[in-house]
Amino acid sequence: MPIQPKKHEMPTQSPEVRAHNFAEVAQGYPVEIALEEAKRCLNCKDRPCVAGCPVNVRIPDFIAQIRQGNFEEAYQIISQSSTLPAVCGRVCPQESQCESKCTLQVRAKMEPVAIGRLERFAADWHNANAAGQPAKPAPNGHKVAVVGAGPSGLTCAGDLARKGYQVTIYEALHTAGGVLVYGIPEFRLPKSIVAREVETLQGLGVDIETNVIIGKTLTVDELFDMGYEAVFIGSGAGLPNFMGIPGESCKGVYSANEYLTRSNLMKAYLDKPHTPIMKGGRVAVVGGGNVAMDAARTALRLGAEKVYIIYRRSMEELPARREEVEHAQEEGIDFRLLCNPTEILGYANPDNPRDPKNGFVTGIRCVRMELGEPDASGRRRPVEIPGSAFELAVDTVIMAIGTSPNPLIKNTTAGLEVNRRGGIVVNEDGLSSREHVWAGGDAVTGAATVISAMGAGKQAAAAIDRALMG
Amino acid sequence: MNPTVTQIEVEAPLVARKARPGQFIILRVDEAGERIPLTVAGTCPEEGTVKVIFQVVGATTEALNHLREGDALQDFAGPLGTATEMNGPERVCVIGGGVGCAIAMPVAQELHRIGAAVTSIIGFRNRELLILEDEFAACSDRLIVTTDDGSYGRHGNVTEPLKEMLTAGEKFDRIIAIGPLVMMKFVVAAAKPFGVRVTVSMNPIMIDGTGMCGGCRITLVQDGQRVTRFACVDGPDFNGYEVDFDEAMSRGRMYADYERHAYEEACSLFRKA
C-alpha cells in the first residue's frame, strides 16, 4: 500500500469556537488515526530523526510500538529519554527538529511523519490509562540541588533521580513548572498535564521546595554547606526587554512575561480572578516569536475585539512556529508585518490632571519598514521607510521582544562567570566556571525553546553523574 | 496597631535568617489569592519568625486581616529586593509616612544599632492612625511626630520640620524617606535646595518579585536620560532625585477600579461570614 503523502490532520477546535475559550486547541489523535499515522514511519536504519531530537528520543522504536498497538510500551521508550513526554508532544518545534530530518520529507518530498503528534498520543494514553507510579530507584547516597522547576531543572532532576540521586528542586514561584505554568497558555498546554508530569517526578523521589529563591532565601554556597555535592542552575529567563520608546510606562503596557503570568500562573483568565488583567478592547502585541503568539491569542480569549501582531520583518523571518502562526491567523489575529513601533500614545486630559483616564494607552504609532542587507544574524535588516508613520488605536500593548537573564544568582555567587548579556558561561557539558555548579536552559542561552532547555538539563545530569560517581 | 493597620508574625525560618531592613516578602493568603509584596518590619532569627505590618487597602489585605493566630498562609517567599544601604556612623534623617513607618522603623533601628545619629520624623493623618511611636523613640536621637489635622504632635506634614531643620543649618549625610509617593516627592523637593542625598523606597505593583515579570518598572532620570529600573531586583530603594514620581503615581492606579470592586466584594463577603 502506498504511503499517504500527508500527515494525518490533528483534530482541533474550530477557530470560531476556540477564540473564545481557554480549552486546548489541538485535541489529540484518536487511536485509529494514531495507528494509521504510525504506519507512515519507514523505520529507516540510520534514524535521522533521533539525531534531530535534543534529548535523542528513540523515535522509530516508539512509533513501531504504537503501530503494534503497544501504547504503554511506546510511552516507556519515550520516557527513557524525555522527562516530559506529554509536554514535548505539544510544544516542541518538531518541524525544525526531528520531523525536519524525516526521510519521508528529505528523500521522498512528502510531509514528515507526525512524530510530535504520536509522542503526545502515547503520553496522553499513558496518563489516561496507566495505573500507579514507577518504582522509586534505590538511593545511591548522593545529594544534588536543582535551581528552578522549569523544563531544564525538571529534566535534570528526573534523570538524576532515576539514577538514585537524592534531588531537591528549589523553585522561586509558588508552583512548579517554570515557563510551562507561567508562560505557555492553557489552550496550548493544559496545566493539569504539567502537574501530572511533576507528580511523576515526585513519585521518583524528587523533592520540590517552592517559594525558595536561590540568590535570596539561600545562596549557591549555602546549598553546598547543606551537603549538596552538585548544583544545577536552571533559573530561566529574566527581566523582560522593552523598546525604549516613549510611552512604555503608560497604563495598559505589559511585558509578555507579566501579561502571561497574570493570565496563566495567577489564573486571571478565570471568572472573578483575584489577580487583575486588562481584558477586552483593542490589543497590540509587539514581536514575532512564540511568546508573541501566545500573548496575542490569550488577549483574544480574554475578550479583545481586535488583536494586532506588530513585527518589524516579514512573515519569512517571523521566528514563531508555523503551526502557531497559522492558528493565530485562523483565529483572526491581524498581522502587521514590516512595521515598527516608535511611540505608545497615552491619554492626557489638558483640562483635568486628575482625570482617571489620564496615562492609559490610547494607541501605538508605527513606521513601515522594508528589508535591506542581511545583518549579523543573517536575516535581512529592516530599514524604516521615511514618511510612513501611522497610528493604530489600541488600549493594551504587550511587549514580547525577549528577556535578559535573571541577575539574582549571578549577583550572589562568587566566581560564576557570565557573558556580556548576563547568561551563565558553561562548557559543552553545562559545567560553569564554578566547581560542581552546572547550568542550562534560558539562564545560559537567553530565551530559547522548552526542548533545548530539556536537552541542556539532560546533558548536565549525565555530566553530574560522571563527576560524582567517577 | 490602629483601626486599619495590623502586625502579623509569621514562622519562616529561612526568611528570618536572611532578611535585612528595606527588604520585602511576597505572600499569598490562599490558593486562588494574588501575590502581594509587603515589607519586612522585623525578624527574630532565633525563633525563626518574621514580622510584617500591613494596612487593609484591598481584597487581599482584607483577607489577611481575617486570619487568626495559628492560621497558615498559602505562600511566603523572600527576602526580596536589596537591603537599605548602611554606612556606620553618619547623620541620617529617617522620614516615615503612615504605614510606611513600618518599613522605616527597622531601618531606623539598624542605623541606630550601627552607631548612626538618627533623627526621625513620622507623620500620620490623625492621632488614631499613629503607630510605632515608642519604637521610633527608642532608636532615634530625636523624634518628631506630625499629624495632618494637629490631633497629635506637630500640626502639618513631615516636610515642614525637615525644611525648618535644614534651613536652620542642620546637616544630614542623607535622608531616607518611606511613605506615600506624594510624601516622598515633597521630601525630595524640600531637600533639593540643600543638596542632601535622599533615598526613597518604592512600592509599585508586582507579581513575582524576583525579576521576571517587569510589572514593577519605574523610570529614573539619570543625566537627562530616562532609564527603566525594576523595583524588585534593583530596588526598592532608589535615589529620590532620579525617580519619576508622577509616572509611578499614575502606574500605581492602573487597577484602581478593579481593586475598589474587589475590596467591596471582599468586605461584603466577610460581613456575611
Side-chain angles (χ1 to χ4, degrees):
Chain A
M1 204 171 88
I3 296 171
Q4 176 176 319
K6 286 185 173 296
K7 289 179 186 180
H8 287 82
E9 289 270 334
M10 174 62 108
T12 52
Q13 281 195 74
S14 79
E16 306 76 52
V17 173
R18 73 188 190 228
H20 306 290
N21 71 49
F22 275 84
E24 199 172 8
V25 170
Q27 294 171 321
Y29 277 161
V31 170
E32 53 282 12
I33 294 186
L35 288 169
E36 284 303 311
E37 181 65 25
K39 284 187 197 157
R40 295 182 68 232
C41 177
L42 302 174
N43 206 353
C44 0
K45 231 184 275 166
D46 58 345
R47 303 154 81 87
C49 51
V50 178
C53 171
V55 298
N56 304 122
V57 167
R58 287 161 43 213
I59 293 164
D61 297 346
F62 95 73
I63 294 180
Q65 292 294 341
I66 292 182
R67 190 163 42 215
Q68 293 161 32
N70 302 329
F71 305 140
E72 178 62 20
E73 282 76 4
Y75 171 81
Q76 292 302 334
I77 289 170
I78 299 167
S79 70
Q80 284 166 14
S81 314
S82 169
T83 313
L84 311 167
V87 172
C88 292
R90 288 170 164 82
V91 304
C92 266
Q94 291 99 7
E95 66 278 6
S96 59
Q97 296 178 345
C98 53
E99 291 181 14
S100 74
K101 312 281 191 224
C102 179
T103 304
L104 284 186
Q105 173 164 306
V106 176
R107 299 271 178 84
K109 306 296 171 209
M110 295 181 183
E111 284 191 5
V113 175
I115 300 169
R117 294 171 187 174
L118 289 173
E119 179 183 29
R120 169 178 167 173
F121 169 78
D124 286 357
W125 195 92
H126 168 84
N127 284 344
N129 296 290
Q133 278 281 347
K136 251 187 221 181
N140 71 2
H142 292 280
K143 278 175 75 178
V144 177
V146 169
V147 181
S152 72
L154 292 173
T155 301
C156 185
D159 279 17
L160 289 170
R162 284 193 190 86
K163 293 192 162 90
Y165 288 86
Q166 187 190 331
V167 184
T168 306
I169 306 181
Y170 292 100
E171 166 57 44
L173 294 174
H174 57 259
T175 308
V179 72
L180 307 176
V181 295
Y182 77 71
I184 302 178
E186 183 77 14
F187 58 84
R188 212 150 69 77
L189 177 63
K191 300 312 140 206
S192 58
I193 285 172
V194 181
R196 175 72 191 249
E197 305 269 35
V198 169
E199 279 165 29
T200 303
L201 276 188
Q202 288 169 318
L204 288 171
V206 174
D207 179 29
I208 301 179
E209 299 282 340
T210 53
N211 293 322
V212 179
I213 304 111
I214 301 300
K216 287 290 177 187
T217 318
L218 292 169
T219 62
V220 169
D221 290 293
E222 284 171 311
L223 293 175
F224 286 110
D225 295 341
M226 290 160 69
Y228 295 105
E229 297 157 80
V231 174
F232 174 78
I233 302 172
S235 51
L239 290 161
N241 296 335
F242 289 91
M243 293 185 73
I245 57 174
E248 281 183 304
S249 296
C250 285
K251 288 171 280 191
V253 181
Y254 291 97
S255 75
N257 270 6
E258 178 182 359
Y259 190 76
L260 291 171
T261 299
R262 283 179 183 273
S263 180
N264 300 330
L265 177 72
M266 305 311 297
K267 309 283 178 220
Y269 71 88
L270 299 175
D271 278 345
K272 300 204 171 188
H274 291 244
T275 299
I277 194 166
M278 287 179 64
K279 294 183 182 178
R282 300 164 65 86
V283 180
V285 178
V286 181
N290 288 321
V291 175
M293 300 304 132
D294 283 346
R297 299 172 69 198
T298 297
L300 198 66
R301 284 158 174 77
L302 288 175
E305 60 192 70
K306 179 79 189 172
V307 182
Y308 299 101
I309 291 262
I310 301 177
Y311 179 58
R312 63 196 182 124
R313 302 180 204 246
S314 70
M315 189 55 94
E316 206 174 308
E317 291 82 17
L318 196 102
R321 291 184 63 194
R322 273 312 103 180
E323 185 181 312
E324 304 307 324
V325 175
E326 283 163 17
H327 280 163
Q329 286 174 322
E330 289 165 10
E331 289 166 14
I333 308 281
D334 187 346
F335 283 69
R336 297 298 178 107
L337 305 172
L338 289 165
C339 290
N340 203 32
T342 53
E343 183 177 358
I344 296 165
L345 310 166
Y347 188 82
N349 182 339
D351 304 322
N352 181 9
R354 302 182 77 90
D355 187 332
K357 293 206 289 286
N358 283 346
F360 276 96
V361 173
T362 58
I364 186 164
R365 182 173 293 146
C366 304
V367 287
R368 295 188 201 284
M369 312 294 275
E370 58 190 356
L371 292 178
E373 294 303 307
D375 64 10
S377 72
R379 297 182 299 181
R380 293 175 63 193
R381 196 166 67 86
V383 186
E384 185 179 330
I385 301 174
S388 65
F390 66 100
E391 287 172 14
L392 297 171
V394 294
D395 325 279
T396 302
V397 175
I398 302 167
M399 290 291 175
I401 53 171
T403 61
S404 58
N406 193 300
L408 294 183
I409 293 177
K410 171 195 79 178
N411 291 348
T412 53
T413 311
L416 187 71
E417 201 185 316
V418 298
N419 63 25
R420 196 170 38 86
R421 294 189 311 274
I424 299 171
V425 177
V426 297
N427 71 7
E428 62 278 10
D429 284 338
L431 182 64
S432 76
S433 57
R434 274 284 300 266
E435 203 183 349
H436 282 201
V437 177
W438 280 262
D442 286 4
V444 168
T445 57
T449 61
V450 167
I451 189 71
S452 63
M454 290 178 60
K458 194 169 189 63
Q459 232 164 3
I464 290 169
D465 184 48
R466 287 196 298 275
L468 297 188
M469 302 305 280
Chain B
M1 302 179 81
N2 78 25
T4 63
V5 176
T6 305
Q7 170 172 295
I8 54 171
E9 205 165 347
V10 182
E11 194 179 328
L14 291 178
V15 183
R17 233 175 50 197
K18 281 287 169 65
R20 305 254 72 85
Q23 290 188 296
F24 64 94
I25 55 90
I26 294 247
L27 64 77
R28 285 200 311 163
V29 177
D30 51 48
E31 179 60 43
E34 94 183 294
R35 294 170 66 94
I36 59 163
L38 290 170
T39 305
V40 172
T43 58
C44 182
E46 297 76 31
E47 312 241 321
T49 56
V50 180
K51 272 186 204 152
V52 175
I53 295 173
F54 64 93
Q55 182 169 24
V56 177
V57 291
T60 302
T61 42
E62 176 71 19
L64 189 58
N65 205 30
H66 278 79
L67 295 181
R68 296 278 159 261
E69 194 169 342
D71 285 352
L73 292 167
Q74 181 75 27
D75 302 289
F76 191 84
L80 295 161
T82 52
T84 300
E85 174 191 330
M86 292 288 158
N87 302 324
E90 56 177 338
R91 293 159 302 179
V92 186
C93 181
V94 177
I95 303 178
V99 75
C101 291
I103 310 169
M105 186 260 295
V107 172
Q109 285 175 332
E110 180 66 9
L111 286 164
H112 178 71
R113 196 185 65 78
I114 63 173
V118 179
T119 296
S120 296
I121 308 173
I122 57 175
F124 305 90
R125 283 214 308 278
N126 57 49
R127 178 182 198 132
E128 206 188 17
L129 299 178
L130 174 73
I131 54 170
L132 300 169
E133 185 184 15
D134 293 344
E135 287 81 353
F136 272 101
C139 65
S140 307
D141 298 271
R142 180 172 37 171
L143 171 65
I144 300 158
V145 183
T146 68
T147 51
D148 294 352
D149 67 354
S151 54
Y152 188 79
R154 272 192 59 157
H155 188 181
N157 61 42
V158 293
T159 51
E160 284 156 27
L162 174 69
K163 274 188 210 155
E164 280 171 24
M165 283 189 268
L166 292 171
T167 309
E170 186 100 22
K171 298 287 181 224
F172 294 115
D173 296 301
R174 54 185 177 130
I175 296 166
I176 300 175
I178 306 172
L181 287 166
V182 63
M183 179 206 93
M184 297 195 284
K185 178 182 172 177
F186 283 113
V187 167
V188 169
K192 197 166 187 179
F194 303 91
V196 191
R197 276 182 67 197
V198 183
T199 301
V200 297
S201 176
M202 302 298 284
N203 190 10
I205 295 169
M206 274 184 198
I207 307 177
D208 64 296
T210 64
M212 190 269 284
C213 84
C216 67
R217 63 190 184 276
I218 63 163
T219 301
L220 301 183
V221 182
Q222 292 178 336
D223 306 323
Q225 294 289 315
R226 294 177 67 79
V227 297
T228 298
R229 288 287 179 274
F230 300 97
C232 70
V233 290
D234 300 319
D237 289 0
F238 291 95
N239 175 351
Y241 293 114
E242 295 178 349
V243 172
D244 182 338
F245 285 104
D246 293 338
E247 178 189 289
M249 282 184 249
S250 172
R251 283 184 60 78
R253 287 191 293 266
M254 179 153 168
Y255 299 104
D257 273 354
Y258 177 92
E259 286 160 356
R260 202 183 53 249
H261 290 141
Y263 183 33
E264 282 162 6
E265 270 183 33
C267 290
S268 69
L269 199 71
F270 283 117
R271 263 199 306 275
K272 277 179 214 148

